[in-house]
Amino acid sequence: MELFACRASVDFASRVIESLNKLRREGEPEIHLGALEVAPFSDGEFQPHFAESVRGATVYILQSTFPPADNLMELLLSIDAAKRASADKVIAVIPYFGWARQDRKDRPRVAIGAKLVANLLRAAGADRVMTCDLHADQIQGFFDIPVDHVYASRVFVPYIRSKGFRNLSIAAPDMGGAKRANAYAKALTTKNEECAVIICHKTRERANVVAEIKAIGEVEGRNIIIVDDMIDTAGTLCKAAEVLKGKGAASVRACATHGILSGEAVRRIHESALEEVYITDTIPHPELADDPKIRIVTMTDVFARIIDKVYNYEPISPDFIF
């Protein structure tokens, strides 16, 4: 096994390797982060280069493909370089799979970006993809290679339980998130108390701009956690929190796997009715390490465990909550 990281995910990969080394079986060598160098050109072009042999190796290349598009291009070039260097297998580990919101034609004359990226990864030479909380589960079907799709619920559910909230309800920020909210509610229901589901119905003026949100379900006196796969501009999230608080919620929090946090998102969260927001480290945000509202929960142990099991041909189904 050889594990490399593109430039946007070096810290995440280093912590995955720490977890992998804790999982080593007796007699197995210690894993190190391989040397992947990137030579830049003055016009912005760049060329990844493996500074050590990968001939015959199972190569894991780790990179989240959040904007800019350079991160995706760097991953594709690195996969191609590994295949041309005679790697036996190349597995793309993509904690955050960008372009996933473009998963269908929702209006005339638009691209299906998620399918295009799946084709690009296959064309570059990837033999397998590992990713987390795709925007739509059916994106797995866009690939003609195996996809290991893990869920952040593996870390979020225990984290929420550890907080000991009473009168807990899970809210979906839109109709599309109802399935996820229902799954969280089932996992957090105990013998003594049922965790209810609230659905927020939203209408949009245009992309990233919400016109109106209505909450469906019992809100008054409940401690509510809004669950989603990502937070981009935080417009929907903050408006939903305002609506829920206005209807008598005792508290409103949120958890989302991918903290894109573009534009004024962090400011909006700080000025909103949200008490806390939980995100994972699939997208790096070192500037938020001491943030008073935004808490970062790591996914590195989950990815280390999946990488280890896939490499050793062990079943990974016990690692899925939903």
Side-chain angles (χ1 to χ4, degrees), residues 124-140:
D127 296 291
R128 190 181 198 98
V129 168
M130 294 181 180
T131 190
C132 176
D133 270 344
L134 289 166
H135 188 62
D137 286 348
Q138 62 266 26
I139 291 173
Q140 297 171 71

Side-chain angles (χ1 to χ4, degrees), residues 250-266:
S251 67
V252 183
R253 294 171 173 81
C255 73
T257 309
H258 310 297
I260 301 172
L261 303 179
S262 62
E264 298 294 310
V266 174

Side-chain angles (χ1 to χ4, degrees), residues 39-182:
F41 296 89
S42 60
D43 65 349
E45 187 180 326
F46 49 84
Q47 184 181 50
H49 162 68
F50 290 91
E52 57 189 78
S53 175
V54 296
R55 186 177 297 275
T58 299
V59 174
Y60 292 80
I61 302 176
L62 198 148
Q63 172 86 315
S64 281
T65 56
F66 56 92
D70 283 0
N71 291 329
L72 173 60
M73 193 66 192
E74 187 177 335
L75 174 62
L76 295 171
L77 289 169
S78 299
I79 293 169
D80 183 71
K83 294 299 283 189
R84 295 179 188 278
S86 300
D88 179 43
K89 292 179 183 176
V90 179
I91 299 172
V93 182
I94 311 173
Y96 169 67
F97 184 88
W99 317 92
R101 283 174 283 186
Q102 300 179 39
D103 62 334
R104 66 195 184 283
K105 283 190 71 174
D106 55 352
R107 52 182 172 157
R109 300 176 295 281
V110 296
I112 302 180
K115 173 60 176 170
L116 176 60
V117 173
N119 289 343
L120 289 170
L121 288 164
R122 185 70 186 98
D127 296 291
R128 190 181 198 98
V129 168
M130 294 181 180
T131 190
C132 176
D133 270 344
L134 289 166
H135 188 62
D137 286 348
Q138 62 266 26
I139 291 173
Q140 297 171 71
F142 293 177
F143 290 87
D144 295 322
I145 54 177
V147 176
D148 297 309
H149 183 212
V150 302
Y151 295 93
S153 56
R154 192 72 175 81
V155 295
F156 276 143
V157 168
Y159 187 80
I160 293 169
R161 280 181 186 146
S162 72
K163 296 287 186 176
F165 297 121
R166 303 300 304 271
N167 299 320
L168 182 64
S169 290
I170 298 296
D174 52 38
M175 301 298 285
K179 181 181 176 182
R180 179 183 291 105
N182 187 55

